[in-house]
Amino acid sequence: MGPILSTSGLRSGYGTGDVLQNVSIEVNPGEIVGVLGRNGMGKSTLMRTAIGLLRARAGKVVFEGEDITRESADLRARRGIGYVPQGREIFPHLTVLENLQIGRLVNAGRGRYALDEVYQWFPFLRERERQRGGTLSGGQQEMLAIARALVNGPSLLLLDEPSDGVQPSIVQEIGAFIVDLVARKAIAVLLVEQNIDLIQTAVHRAYVLEKGSVVANLESDDIRDTERLTEFLSV
Ligand SMILES: Nc1ncnc2c1ncn2[C@@H]1O[C@H](COP(=O)(O)OP(=O)(O)OP(=O)(O)O)[C@@H](O)[C@H]1O
Ligand SMILES: [Mg+2]
């Protein structure tokens, strides 16, 4: 079986400037692949280009063997790519349940709506079903955003800095959750992170971005080496 996701020679950016230059990465089934790098190096830009919120100016995005480079973000979501943006972007004035139902709308017609399963993963969401999203803590909002992506049963999850603005105990919980998810379901994860604990808990191998290019590939030994890892992060 080939990779779930691959990019080759990817170039993208904003306005007249390019951010990503010749970015080629792969995510294989069952893998949790990290995207590391200091602030402003292009990590979120890579995620946006992978999900289709940003157009590729050159290169290709291939998902489950099919070239999706020209497809819209909603088509990619329907194919089974779940995306959790940096800063979560839940709807604060909608209830928890309404936020989850919005996740479902993204995939209207695909026929998978795993609300009960998501409630099993995160029981507090069922208890707070009628509460507004904005009343949850940062960590709980992150879990809601992950749950919103998971209600559609994606085969690939793009997670952009889930630890951002989340207290340390909850960061650990999220790390454990990601590991558990991949152990139990046929899903792969592309994980942007700067939090050392979360990276060392969850990530199997990683790409390092610097000024929009991949400058290093880290294997599990490199990831366990905290000093080496720190070189590639803003900490
Ligand atoms: N919407 C935008 N319009 C114009 N430039 C942008 C936009 N978003 C990001 N950039 C620029 O693109 C570059 C890469 O930004 P990106 O958000 O991908 O970095 P990042 O690695 O995710 O950083 P961080 O760790 O701070 O989240 C930066 O120079 C940034 O200023
Ligand atoms: Mg970012």
Side-chain angles (χ1 to χ4, degrees), residues 55-144:
R55 186 178 69 82
R57 293 171 174 175
K60 272 203 297 193
V61 181
V62 175
F63 178 68
E64 293 178 337
E66 294 197 54
D67 187 336
I68 58 166
T69 318
R70 300 283 154 242
E71 276 185 11
S72 63
D74 57 316
L75 270 178
R76 294 184 205 200
R78 251 169 265 163
R79 280 184 184 273
I81 307 181
Y83 172 55
V84 182
Q86 187 168 8
R88 330 181 221 290
E89 298 180 18
I90 63 142
F91 297 94
H93 299 294
L94 299 185
T95 65
V96 164
L97 180 60
E98 285 162 348
N99 270 279
L100 294 169
Q101 286 166 336
I102 288 203
R104 180 191 193 181
L105 281 180
V106 168
N107 277 14
R110 192 155 166 264
R112 291 197 235 163
Y113 183 47
L115 185 63
D116 282 335
E117 192 183 326
V118 157
Y119 279 158
Q120 279 167 25
W121 290 112
F122 300 112
F124 79 91
L125 290 177
R126 190 197 294 276
E127 288 155 24
R128 289 162 193 248
E129 210 176 49
R130 313 249 158 248
Q131 208 169 309
R132 286 183 183 206
T135 65
L136 302 179
S137 72
Q140 290 172 332
Q141 289 187 23
E142 185 63 42
M143 291 179 191
L144 174 58

Side-chain angles (χ1 to χ4, degrees), residues 13-15 18-20 36-48 54 86 160-161 164 192 194 209 212 234:
Y14 310 92
D18 289 336
V19 173
L20 298 187
L36 317 182
R38 296 196 183 83
N39 294 328
M41 291 303 174
K43 304 180 298 295
S44 296
T45 303
L46 174 57
M47 299 299 247
R48 290 186 202 117
L54 202 58
Q86 187 168 8
D160 194 344
E161 291 207 43
D164 205 356
V192 171
Q194 302 235 39
L209 283 182
S234 299

Side-chain angles (χ1 to χ4, degrees), residues 11 64 67 94 112 136 158-159 168 173 203 222 230 233:
R11 176 156 65 83
E64 293 178 337
D67 187 336
L94 299 185
R112 291 197 235 163
L136 302 179
L158 306 174
L159 275 177
E173 218 176 289
V203 168
D222 306 307
T230 311
L233 307 170

Side-chain angles (χ1 to χ4, degrees), residues 180-194:
D180 205 23
L181 180 71
V182 170
R184 294 217 230 155
K185 288 187 72 84
I187 194 167
V189 178
L190 186 62
L191 174 63
V192 171
E193 254 312 325
Q194 302 235 39

